[in-house]
Amino acid sequence: MLPHLQAMGSSSGGAVTAGQLAAGVEDLRLADALVLLRVSDHGARGLHGPEFAVGDEDLFGNFVKLCRLDLFSGKDKAAGGSFGLGKAVYWRFSRVQTVLFNSTVRPEDASDGQFRSRLFGVQQGVVHHLDGTSYQGRGYFGVAEGDENVRSVWGDHDLARRLHVSRPDDRPGTTALAVGFYDPDNPRTVYGRNALSGLAKELRQGIEESFWPLLARRRMTVRIDVEENGIRTESTVVDPSDTFTELTRALRRYDAGEVAETLDDPEAVIVRDVQVEVSARRAPDDHPRFIHTAKLVVTMSDEQPDTLENRVCLFRRPEMIVETIDKTFEGRTYHAFLLAGSAVAPDAPTEEMVRADDFLRFSEPPAHDRWIPGTGRKQASQANLTARYVAPWLPNLKAIERGVLEQLTQVFGTPPPPPDSPPQAVLKHLRFLTGAPGSGGRGATVGRKPEVVDVSAEVVEGVWDIRFTVRAQNRAQGWAIQPELVLIGMDTSAVVVPWGGPLDVVGPVDGTCDGRSVVLPEKDRARIVKAALRGRSPAVAPIPAEISRVDVRLRVLDEGQPS
């Protein structure tokens, strides 16, 4: 594979990926060891189904979805994701973007009678030339079939052993091996023999913090092993009850119905309802809007601090923490979490819980790290909601945070005002100074920086199609604004790229757009001025659309500052 990797690294059309591969090959050459990250699951279904993506999509198995297709999710209701991008994480953690798979499937999912040890490898590279021949960007490890196709290797246990992907028994599941493991957030860190213990510790801490509900409910167990040349030197079973004692105890008491009305007892657990409005869904899985009751669980903290104190963990059916709401109360230290969707009753979810799970799943961006939309650069992608649900939905999602904070305030009381703060009874009579409604927006304050709102985006023919609204506070001198397109990779790296063409006006505009910048002059008796725009990412970009998310940031031209 090395000649192909070197050719990819020299490819002028490969942009960022080519540079990453070139750096990866050089790092592996200088390293004192080849570090492999092996992730195995047991008691799952395994990579089942046909070899190739031919015919009805409903008959595609897990194998085709993972190893053959990009930007294809095919997830069922209440599943983990919806974009089909999560699998890209495998390749991003390999310096040479190469992952090997060994899978055992259930006998009833056998292919031509085979169900043990399905071996296959995928290298996600770039189009390149080698010895006068042109090659596509993706390479496969398996059995060659003619000039084009590569099939899985079945039943070769010795090959699996030599590739470090052996499985200890016939339980269905999959082993994935990232070749030349590294952390894309710290790409210059070279992991050698002496770093493996520290790496295992970091991995354990991350699993505990992100998956403590799944582990606390004993719906999954995780063991982390460290091996050198096939010899196991460390083995640790991840147990969040050691680190997040209060949270695991509170969740188990909630499941057992052992809840109290007050927090008078140090280990008491209380539950409060938080209403989540689920928008009406479009056909074919249509349903009317309804109110879902999520459960906020609160308990007091002990004297041992941890990273989730005074933070409300939000999660749904997969029981992975999506995000946290941070809130402190003077003199009180607490732990809390919000169960939503099927996480409220995972063993017997109602139809409404499953539908709420779906709504929250589609609200999440590719990184699955947000329900509550932000503004500007913190605005989460709502592309999946746009296609499936009837607007509005942003107010529904923002109301989740308000509902949580309202319930916490009722439990712990209203926080005291900051020292020396003026009374609100006086301030409310002085709001005309800041441009209250009806004043024409000409208060004593300078207009706020513009922001991007109502973002919707989808990948069309390999490029991002983005609709957004530029919104600014009305001011006498008006605004001259240049929207800039930002691509964000799976490793959260952000790159500003030029638009793939002129920006189009697609809705109300309080000024003019020349295809590149927006001018919003002062508008009589208005507080807000805005422009609804549409743009596309370039056909050739440093981060392919299929493995990126998008953001729009604004540069205020007359002030020279980004917003």
Side-chain angles (χ1 to χ4, degrees):
M1 192 169 66
L2 183 59
H4 286 276
L5 292 172
Q6 292 171 332
M8 290 176 189
S10 302
S11 172
S12 59
V16 172
T17 301
Q20 291 172 342
L21 289 170
V25 170
E26 179 65 11
D27 289 338
L28 291 181
R29 186 183 69 82
L30 298 175
D32 68 345
L34 178 65
V35 179
L36 309 173
L37 177 67
R38 181 173 62 212
V39 181
S40 298
D41 61 45
H42 303 271
R45 190 173 181 183
L47 298 180
H48 66 284
E51 283 288 334
F52 304 105
V54 179
D56 188 352
E57 289 185 358
D58 292 337
L59 300 180
F60 289 176
N62 292 335
F63 175 79
V64 164
K65 295 173 186 177
L66 176 64
C67 298
R68 301 285 190 186
L69 299 179
D70 288 327
L71 207 66
F72 186 92
S73 178
K75 295 287 182 65
D76 295 327
K77 288 185 174 70
S82 59
F83 286 83
L85 295 178
K87 59 193 177 188
V89 172
Y90 281 119
W91 289 272
R92 289 294 296 119
F93 280 86
S94 163
R95 287 193 182 276
V96 289
Q97 299 194 28
T98 301
V99 181
L100 300 174
F101 300 97
N102 180 25
S103 189
T104 295
V105 301
R106 303 178 304 180
E108 57 265 37
D109 291 329
S111 296
D112 298 326
Q114 300 273 12
F115 63 93
R116 294 185 181 91
S117 192
R118 184 180 203 169
L119 276 168
F120 198 71
V122 182
Q123 197 277 330
Q124 297 277 27
V126 297
V127 175
H128 58 288
H129 300 273
L130 180 63
D131 297 332
T133 302
S134 297
Y135 292 90
Q136 65 178 14
R138 175 181 287 182
Y140 294 123
F141 177 89
V143 178
E145 184 182 78
D147 295 332
E148 299 292 334
N149 296 330
V150 178
R151 288 184 171 272
S152 305
V153 181
W154 285 93
D156 193 333
H157 299 289
D158 182 62
L159 179 60
R161 178 189 58 79
R162 289 187 285 124
L163 291 173
H164 300 278
V165 290
S166 292
R167 295 181 61 79
D169 51 47
D170 286 341
R171 283 180 296 167
T174 303
T175 296
L177 190 81
V179 179
F181 168 78
Y182 83 122
D183 182 353
D185 288 336
N186 298 288
R188 304 321 307 164
T189 301
V190 178
Y191 293 106
R193 293 183 176 89
N194 296 330
L196 295 184
S197 292
L199 182 59
K201 181 180 179 181
E202 291 177 14
L203 184 58
R204 176 183 59 79
Q205 291 171 341
I207 292 172
E208 286 179 343
E209 187 164 305
S210 295
F211 293 96
W212 68 260
L214 192 61
L215 296 166
R217 281 177 159 170
R218 299 183 176 91
R219 299 166 68 84
M220 179 179 74
T221 58
V222 176
R223 190 186 76 221
I224 300 175
D225 297 332
V226 176
E227 295 182 3
E228 290 191 41
N229 296 327
I231 300 174
R232 185 180 302 171
T233 59
E234 293 183 29
S235 184
T236 303
V237 176
V238 180
D239 183 1
S241 63
D242 293 336
T243 304
F244 303 114
T245 306
E246 303 97 314
L247 287 170
T248 54
R249 181 179 61 233
L251 180 56
R252 289 168 182 168
R253 287 193 172 184
Y254 164 83
D255 287 341
E258 300 172 358
V259 298
E261 289 300 319
T262 66
L263 294 173
D264 295 335
D265 185 280
E267 296 186 1
V269 173
I270 63 171
V271 179
R272 297 291 185 267
D273 291 345
V274 174
Q275 305 300 322
V276 179
E277 182 175 345
V278 177
S279 300
R281 186 162 180 177
R282 304 179 189 276
D285 298 317
D286 55 306
H287 62 69
R289 59 176 289 275
F290 65 92
I291 301 298
H292 165 65
T293 301
K295 299 294 183 178
L296 176 66
V297 180
V298 185
T299 190
M300 299 307 296
S301 302
D302 59 23
E303 296 181 356
Q304 185 67 34
D306 62 60
T307 57
L308 294 178
E309 282 184 347
N310 299 327
R311 305 172 72 181
V312 182
C313 300
L314 276 54
F315 61 93
R316 55 184 180 85
R317 173 61 181 270
E319 294 158 321
M320 177 192 78
I321 304 304
V322 175
E323 65 176 313
T324 63
I325 298 173
D326 301 358
K327 180 65 175 178
T328 58
F329 291 87
E330 186 175 354
R332 311 299 291 269
T333 305
Y334 68 94
H335 282 78
F337 52 89
L338 182 75
L339 304 103
S342 300
V344 173
D347 295 327
T350 65
E351 183 179 34
E352 285 196 346
M353 291 177 187
V354 173
R355 288 176 171 178
D357 237 320
D358 253 6
F359 177 68
L360 294 171
R361 170 165 66 106
F362 287 122
S363 76
E364 296 169 9
H368 300 290
D369 59 356
R370 183 180 293 272
W371 290 342
I372 303 165
T375 57
R377 292 180 58 80
K378 295 182 180 180
Q379 174 69 44
S381 170
Q382 303 297 322
N384 271 350
L385 284 177
T386 303
R388 292 173 173 84
Y389 290 87
V390 178
W393 49 79
L394 290 178
N396 304 357
L397 297 171
K398 291 180 179 179
I400 296 175
E401 182 174 25
R402 291 198 302 271
V404 167
L405 296 179
E406 287 172 2
Q407 292 297 331
L408 287 177
T409 300
Q410 289 183 20
V411 172
F412 295 120
T414 304
D420 303 323
S421 63
Q424 292 298 312
V426 174
L427 283 181
K428 72 178 183 179
H429 295 293
L430 303 178
R431 286 176 183 161
F432 68 91
L433 293 176
T434 58
S439 68
R442 302 187 189 186
T445 59
V446 178
R448 291 195 308 268
K449 291 292 186 180
E451 61 181 354
V452 176
V453 298
D454 299 333
V455 178
S456 65
E458 61 179 335
V459 177
V460 179
E461 297 180 352
V463 300
W464 280 105
D465 187 319
I466 309 111
R467 295 172 183 264
F468 60 96
T469 298
V470 176
R471 182 177 183 274
Q473 185 174 326
N474 192 22
R475 65 177 186 176
Q477 65 268 45
W479 296 94
I481 304 163
Q482 182 176 314
E484 295 181 333
L485 177 62
V486 181
L487 296 181
I488 304 171
M490 294 297 294
D491 58 355
T492 70
S493 60
V495 181
V496 179
V497 298
W499 293 96
L503 295 172
D504 298 320
V505 175
V506 293
V509 60
D510 294 323
T512 59
C513 176
D514 62 4
R516 186 169 180 268
S517 58
V518 181
V519 175
L520 299 173
E522 180 189 18
K523 186 176 180 180
D524 187 41
R525 297 192 61 79
R527 290 199 65 192
I528 300 297
V529 288
K530 60 186 178 180
L533 306 171
R534 178 186 181 185
R536 292 167 66 88
S537 65
V540 179
I543 307 176
E546 288 81 2
I547 58 171
S548 71
R549 44 191 183 107
V550 287
D551 197 359
V552 178
R553 75 179 187 185
L554 304 177
R555 182 168 294 277
V556 181
L557 299 179
D558 53 349
E559 298 177 8
Q561 296 294 327
S563 172

